[in-house]
Amino acid sequence: MAKKFNIALSSRLSPFQKFYLLVIAGFILGPFIPLVIQSFAFRWAWPDLLPGTWWLEQREKAMAPLAWDYVLSPYSRVWEATVNTVFIGTIVTAICLAICLPAARVLAREKFRGKSAFEFFLSLPLIVPEAAIGIALLMMFIRLGLAGSYVGIILAHLIPTIPYMVRMLTAVYQGLGRDFEEQAMILGANRWQVLRLVTLPMLLPGVVAGALFTFLVSTNIFLLTFFLGQGQIVTLPTLLFSKIAGGTLDASAAGITLIVTLPGIILLIISERFIKEEAFGKGFGN
Amino acid sequence: MSVSSPPAPSARLTARERRTRFWQMVQLMPIMAILVLLFGGALVLAILQSLGFAPWFGVNTFPDFSYFGALWGSSTFWASLGLTLYYATVSTVLALILGILLALALVKTFPSKTFYKYLYKLPLMIPYTVGIALAVLMLSNGGMLSRLAAFFGMIDDPSQFPQILKTHYGWGIIAVYVWKQTPFITLAVYAVLLGIGRETEEAAAILGASRRTIFFRVTLPQILPGVVSSTLICFAFNVGAFEAPFILGGGFPDTLPVVAWRYFNDADYTLQLQGMATVVSIGLVAGVILFGYLAAYRRYERRMGRN
C-alpha cells in the first residue's frame, strides 16, 4: 500500500516514462540523422548504412551542380521560395494583428448578443477541411483574377491564421484586466496615452507570441499556397512538395528538406520564451 | 467603454449604449468581413457549383442533384471516403494516445525537461512536406529502416522489407500525421495539465486510488477539453489533407481531397462540378462527424455538471 501510494504521488518519472521519452526523442529527431547524411551523399547503395560515395568527392567531376551546390544555386529556386515564404508570412502576420487586436479586445471584455455564436463561427476555419476551402477559393479567385497572385495567397492565409490569433490575443486581454487602464485614466491620461504607455507595453509579450505563431502557421501552409499559387508562386513547403512528389528523395531534395526545416528551428528557439502552453488550454467553441 | 454597467431606462444612456454597440461592431467587422467573404463565400460557391451553377462554363442547371447522384452512386466514392476516414481516425487516435502519455511525462520533474520542452514542439514548427520527406527516407523499401533490418540480418533484399508506403493500409501517411500531430495534442493536454495542478490527483492518491483509477477518474475528465479541441482540429485537418496521401498513398482509389484535385485538374472542365460535389461531400462528412463528436462531448460535460 505504501509503495503504491508513493508511485501515485511521485513527481518523478516512472521507468516506463523514461523509456517512453527516449522513444519519443528517437521518433522526432531520429529521421533527421539519415536526412543530413543523405544531403551529403552522392551514391548510397541499398544495404549500406553510410553512403559509398560522398558529394565532396564528386563535385569537381560532375557536369551539373550536385547536392548542396544545387540547393544553394539559383536553379533550385530555394532562395526565391525563402523570400516568398518570409514575405507572405510577414504581411499575413501584420494584417492579422491589425484586424484581430480590436476584435480580441471586444471579445475579451464586452458582452453582446450572439457572442458565443460569433466565437463558434471564428473557430470554424479550424475544423472545415482545408481541401474544401482551397478548391472553392481557387474557383472564386480565378473569377476575380487573384489566382496565382500574392494578394490571393495572403488573403487565403488569413483564413486559418485568424482563429489562432484571435484566441491567443483574447486570452492576453483577459489576463490583462482593466484596472491599470482605468487608473491611468483617473490620473488624467488621454486615450492615446493609455494605449501607448499602458495597454501596449502590457500586451506586448502576448502580441509577440500571437505574431510568431501566426507567422509560423503561415509559413507552414502548403495546400492553400499550392492550390492558389497555381505554380507561379513557390514557397518553401510547395517547393519541397514538387521535389518529393515522385516519392523519392535524392541528395538535393534532402538538402532542400533541411533548408525548409530551418525557419521552424529558428522560430522554435525564439518562440519558446513567448508561446506559453497555457494559451492553448481553452476548450473548443466556448 | 463600459457596457457592464447596468442599463438604466434613460434615453441618454440608451444612446450611449447604441454608440458602444456601434463601436463594438466596427472593431469586430474586419475579421467578420474576411471570414464571411472568403470562407463563407467559398463555402456558398462550392455548394452552388456542386448543384450545377457554373454559368462561366455555360452550365447552369441549378438546382441539379445529378452531380451528387453520380458521385454518391459510384462505389469508388465510398472506397475513397472509407480510406479518408480510416487514415484520419487511426492517426488522430494514435497521436492522442502518444500525446497524452507525453504530456503526463512532461509535467513530472526530470533533468532534461527543458530540452524536451523544445524537442517535442519541433514537428509542430515545420511543414508537413518535411514529414513526408522523412517518411520517404525512413520507411520506403530502400529506406533507412530497411537498411537497418538488413544490417541486423533480418532481410537480404529490399523487396523483402514490408511495403509501408504507397499501400492502402497507409502506414506511411499515418506515420506522418502522427509525427506532426502528437506535439499539437501534447501541447493542448500539457497546457490543461499545468492549469489544473496536481491537488486533485494527490487527494485521490491519499484516498487510496490506484494510478489507473487516478488517470481515468480524475485526470482524464479534467484534460478532456484540451483533448476534444485538439483532436477536433487534427481530425478535420487529416480529412482535408492533400499532400501526404498524394505522395505516400496507394493510388486508386485515392482519398477524397486527392480525388477532388484530380477532377479539378481534368482536361474535361465539366468534371470540375463533380470535383465541387466531392469538396462539398468532404465538408459534409467532416461536419457531421465533428458535430456529433462535439454534441457528445457537450452532453458529457452537462452530465458532469459543467456547462
Side-chain angles (χ1 to χ4, degrees):
Chain A
M1 172 72 195
K3 185 166 177 279
K4 219 167 107 185
F5 184 78
N6 273 338
I7 293 173
L9 265 181
S10 167
S11 67
R12 271 181 288 169
L13 294 172
S14 68
F16 167 75
Q17 284 177 318
K18 280 182 188 158
F19 171 72
Y20 181 67
L21 282 175
L22 284 180
V23 171
I24 285 288
F27 180 50
I28 291 176
L29 284 183
F32 285 100
I33 298 166
L35 184 67
V36 173
I37 297 175
Q38 170 72 295
S39 76
F40 288 103
F42 178 73
R43 210 184 106 76
W44 196 359
W46 173 65
D48 305 341
L49 289 180
L50 284 175
T53 320
W54 295 85
W55 156 64
L56 283 170
E57 301 168 39
Q58 288 292 322
R59 64 184 297 200
E60 303 306 326
K61 299 172 202 158
M63 304 292 283
L66 288 176
W68 283 102
D69 289 330
Y70 171 78
V71 174
L72 300 176
S73 75
Y75 304 113
S76 66
R77 300 180 84 188
V78 164
W79 179 243
E80 182 193 342
T82 311
V83 171
N84 275 341
T85 309
V86 172
F87 171 73
I88 292 170
T90 310
I91 304 279
V92 167
T93 308
I95 297 177
C96 211
L97 256 186
I99 62 177
C100 289
L101 262 176
R105 203 185 67 93
V106 173
L107 286 173
R109 298 189 167 175
E110 319 282 352
K111 285 196 182 71
F112 53 91
R113 210 157 4 117
K115 184 175 168 184
S116 58
F118 183 70
E119 283 173 331
F120 183 73
F121 176 69
L122 275 182
S123 319
L124 271 187
L126 294 183
I127 56 165
V128 173
E130 232 181 336
I133 293 302
I135 294 182
L137 265 186
L138 177 57
M139 281 313 289
M140 205 155 101
F141 281 8
I142 287 176
R143 305 295 310 153
L144 297 171
L146 289 175
S149 74
Y150 285 101
V151 178
I153 290 183
I154 289 167
L155 281 176
H157 279 205
L158 287 175
I159 295 177
T161 49
I162 284 177
Y164 284 113
M165 185 68 118
V166 169
R167 275 172 166 226
M168 292 180 77
L169 292 182
T170 307
V172 173
Y173 266 112
Q174 276 164 347
L176 179 62
R178 222 190 274 247
D179 315 6
F180 290 100
E181 294 179 358
E182 280 172 2
Q183 278 178 22
M185 279 188 162
I186 291 167
L187 292 171
N190 62 33
R191 269 173 182 254
W192 169 240
Q193 283 173 321
V194 170
L195 182 73
R196 191 166 53 92
L197 298 172
V198 181
T199 317
L200 282 185
M202 290 183 78
L203 279 180
L204 200 63
V207 168
V208 171
L212 281 173
F213 196 74
T214 307
F215 185 76
L216 173 78
V217 171
S218 165
T219 53
N220 280 356
I221 292 175
F222 164 77
L223 192 134
L224 292 174
T225 318
F226 180 69
F227 283 7
L228 299 171
Q230 293 278 288
Q232 291 165 40
I233 296 177
V234 286
T235 59
L236 288 175
T238 59
L239 178 74
L240 181 57
F241 177 82
S242 62
K243 296 291 174 197
I244 58 171
T248 55
L249 191 84
D250 56 12
S252 55
I256 291 173
T257 311
L258 283 170
I259 300 265
V260 176
T261 314
L262 216 55
I265 295 177
I266 296 171
L267 276 174
L268 177 66
I269 292 167
I270 310 174
S271 66
E272 174 59 28
R273 288 196 304 148
F274 291 104
I275 296 183
K276 293 277 176 283
E277 271 85 2
E278 288 82 348
F280 293 86
K282 304 262 171 225
F284 191 83
N286 50 355
Chain B
M1 184 77 187
S2 60
V3 170
S4 48
S5 59
S10 100
R12 219 185 107 251
L13 261 188
T14 344
R16 212 178 91 187
E17 236 178 47
R18 211 178 297 141
R19 219 173 54 221
T20 7
R21 276 291 125 82
F22 174 74
W23 276 111
Q24 280 177 11
M25 283 304 290
V26 169
Q27 296 186 48
L28 293 176
M29 207 35 104
I31 52 172
M32 198 57 181
I34 290 201
L35 289 183
V36 169
L37 286 181
L38 290 182
F39 179 70
L43 285 185
V44 170
L45 188 77
I47 293 169
L48 283 179
Q49 257 189 68
S50 63
L51 293 175
F53 179 78
W56 45 90
F57 299 145
V59 179
N60 188 358
T61 50
F62 184 85
D64 174 2
F65 293 90
S66 64
Y67 298 101
F68 282 108
L71 189 68
W72 293 352
S74 76
S75 60
T76 51
F77 169 79
W78 297 103
S80 293
L81 177 64
L83 276 180
T84 312
L85 294 180
Y86 159 71
Y87 297 151
T89 315
V90 172
S91 39
T92 307
V93 170
L94 284 178
L96 177 63
I97 295 170
L98 293 181
I100 290 182
L101 284 175
L102 185 55
L104 287 175
L106 282 175
V107 288
K108 299 289 179 73
T109 321
F110 55 98
S112 51
K113 185 163 169 169
T114 318
F115 166 73
Y116 267 97
K117 282 182 73 175
Y118 278 98
L119 169 84
Y120 90 91
K121 292 200 197 88
L122 180 64
L124 201 62
M125 300 281 169
I126 52 191
Y128 275 84
T129 35
V130 170
I132 298 168
L134 293 176
V136 169
L137 190 65
M138 296 300 289
L139 304 176
S140 67
N141 280 53
M144 223 35 224
L145 290 186
S146 148
R147 286 163 198 266
L148 284 174
F151 179 74
F152 290 112
M154 284 142 72
I155 58 173
D156 25 57
D157 192 85
S159 61
Q160 289 169 343
F161 190 71
Q163 187 161 9
I164 300 175
L165 307 179
K166 295 184 185 287
T167 69
H168 284 120
Y169 292 109
W171 288 110
I173 301 168
I174 292 168
V176 173
Y177 289 165
V178 170
W179 187 80
K180 188 82 172 80
Q181 289 163 4
T182 300
F184 184 75
I185 292 176
T186 309
L187 185 69
V189 174
Y190 181 52
V192 185
L193 280 176
L194 285 182
I196 60 180
R198 305 208 64 212
E199 286 84 359
T200 46
E201 292 177 10
E202 280 167 13
I206 289 166
L207 292 171
S210 69
R211 279 207 294 168
R212 173 186 294 266
T213 319
I214 292 179
F215 176 74
F216 283 104
R217 305 294 293 274
V218 179
T219 315
L220 189 61
Q222 294 190 84
I223 60 175
L224 214 53
V227 167
V228 171
S229 58
S230 56
T231 46
L232 272 173
I233 293 173
C234 286
F235 182 81
F237 184 89
N238 294 345
V239 169
F242 166 81
E243 59 267 45
F246 185 84
I247 298 178
L248 304 174
F252 182 86
D254 284 304
T255 65
L256 285 180
V258 181
V259 171
W261 179 245
R262 290 206 200 286
Y263 275 133
F264 199 77
N265 276 344
D266 202 285
D268 179 3
Y269 61 78
T270 51
L271 280 178
Q272 288 193 5
L273 298 179
Q274 192 92 335
M276 277 302 179
T278 316
V279 162
V280 173
S281 307
I282 299 172
L284 272 180
V285 169
V288 167
I289 293 175
L290 294 176
F291 185 78
Y293 183 33
L294 209 54
Y297 168 63
R298 285 274 160 82
R299 233 179 66 189
Y300 170 83
E301 288 280 276
R302 267 201 300 278
R303 231 183 48 216
M304 296 286 291
R306 294 184 278 193
N307 47 16

